[in-house]
């Protein structure tokens, strides 16, 4: 039996989901940083035919790709650590519905890069109230502790608060800001582990502007 290993490119929000989940469940793991130029051929032939990260290599050496598949595996394989997904079927379904209701907000992260800040900020004032509604006076979207909803939402909001056109509406929304600070104070999230370090958003923007796919963002530039 080996040790869990996460193959990751930390600027990607999908990779952040896997990192937050591992830290939340307090599971020991190693990190291998993915460099598109050097690693894609090997990754595609050996671990993920899609050629993308994150990839979780299990203790048995089996590769699991796609962030949601990784989160599902971690919850099922390590049930004695804090749960990512609610165990109750109804609560689980309600969590998925909350994630869907947040998509008009979280999707603005990609819009900001692909269509510009002006397009990303259109109508955001109409979408912001849903966050306070879903938070419902709790510390986390998942309730008293974070769960799958928070893990999915945080990487998008972490990036949006650093983006022109989105910084002001996101950071000046009381519900989002209180939740964001609670997330940043959680043991599962630290700069470089689930949370972007200073300067990374500029690298993300540069790579989007150059037309490079997410998987090609070079870690050596970080």
């Amino acid at each position: 039996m080996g040790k869990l290993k996460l193959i990751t490119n930390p600027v990607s929000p999908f990779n952040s989901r896997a990192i937050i989940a591992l830290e939340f469940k307090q599971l020991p793991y190693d990190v291998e940083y993915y460099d598109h130029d050097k690693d894609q051929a090997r990754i595609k032939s050996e671990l993920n035919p899609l050629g993308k990260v994150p990839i979780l290599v299990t203790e048995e050496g089996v590769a699991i790709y796609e962030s949601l598949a990784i989160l599902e595996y971690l919850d099922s394989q390590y049930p004695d650590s804090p749960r990512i997904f609610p165990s109750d079927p109804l609560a689980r379904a309600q969590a998925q519905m909350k994630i869907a209701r947040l998509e008009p907000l979280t999707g603005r992260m990609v819009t900001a890069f692909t269509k510009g800040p002006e397009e990303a900020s259109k109508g955001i004032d109409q979408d912001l109230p849903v966050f306070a509604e879903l938070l419902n006076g709790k510390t986390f979207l998942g309730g008293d502790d974070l769960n799958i909803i928070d893990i999915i939402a945080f990487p998008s909001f972490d990036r949006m608060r650093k983006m022109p056109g989105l910084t002001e509406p996101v950071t000046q929304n009381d519900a989002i800001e209180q939740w964001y600070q609670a997330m940043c104070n959680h043991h599962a999230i630290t700069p470089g582990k689930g949370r972007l370090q200073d300067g990374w958003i500029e690298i993300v923007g540069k790579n989007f502007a150059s037309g490079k796919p997410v998987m090609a963002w070079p870690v050596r530039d970080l």
Side-chain angles (χ1 to χ4, degrees):
M1 296 285 285
K3 186 179 181 182
L4 289 172
K5 179 172 72 173
L6 185 69
I7 304 172
T8 179
N9 185 321
V11 297
S12 167
F14 303 102
N15 288 266
S16 294
R17 295 175 180 179
I19 292 170
I20 293 170
L22 285 161
E23 294 291 328
F24 175 58
K25 294 180 80 67
Q26 297 182 299
L27 299 172
Y29 66 100
D30 292 326
V31 173
E32 177 183 322
Y33 290 113
Y34 171 81
D35 187 304
H36 177 75
D37 296 338
K38 297 179 180 178
D39 301 330
Q40 193 196 31
R42 176 181 63 85
I43 291 293
K44 198 167 185 177
S45 65
E46 298 178 8
L47 297 172
N48 180 0
L50 300 176
K52 300 189 299 182
V53 292
I55 299 168
L56 180 75
V57 180
T58 70
E59 295 177 29
E60 296 76 23
V62 178
I64 300 173
Y65 51 88
E66 295 298 317
S67 60
L68 285 178
I70 291 171
L71 269 56
E72 290 270 11
Y73 171 81
L74 292 174
D75 238 16
S76 298
Q77 182 67 14
Y78 304 98
D80 295 333
S81 59
R83 290 195 60 85
I84 298 168
F85 295 86
S87 55
D88 175 71
L90 179 58
R92 192 184 185 99
Q94 289 171 334
Q96 297 288 355
M97 290 189 289
K98 286 185 177 182
I99 291 169
R101 290 196 62 195
L102 283 171
E103 284 179 1
L105 276 172
T106 56
R108 292 174 184 272
M109 176 194 65
V110 174
T111 303
F113 286 123
T114 57
K115 297 183 179 179
E118 184 176 348
E119 185 66 25
S121 61
K122 281 183 180 177
I124 191 170
D125 290 341
Q126 298 173 12
D127 292 337
L128 286 171
V130 74
F131 195 96
E133 178 189 338
L134 296 178
L135 197 60
N136 194 29
K138 301 288 188 180
T139 303
F140 300 98
L141 291 163
D144 295 330
D145 200 355
L146 64 82
N147 74 1
I148 181 62
I149 316 168
D150 304 276
I151 292 172
I152 294 295
F154 182 83
S156 294
F157 282 100
D158 186 44
R159 286 151 179 79
M160 286 193 294
R161 62 189 285 116
K162 301 174 179 72
M163 293 177 173
L166 295 176
T167 300
E168 185 173 332
V170 168
T171 58
Q172 292 187 4
N173 180 280
D174 290 343
I176 294 175
E177 187 63 15
Q178 289 172 15
W179 167 80
Y180 180 83
Q181 295 304 325
M183 290 290 288
C184 288
N185 289 328
H186 197 284
H187 72 79
I189 296 174
T190 56
K193 287 190 175 182
R195 179 182 170 194
L196 284 182
Q197 291 181 335
D198 292 342
W200 283 14
I201 200 68
E202 289 78 10
I203 295 169
V204 174
K206 181 180 70 174
N207 282 293
F208 257 112
S210 71
K212 292 182 181 180
V214 171
M215 63 184 179
W217 296 346
V219 176
R220 60 179 174 271
D221 286 351
L222 301 178

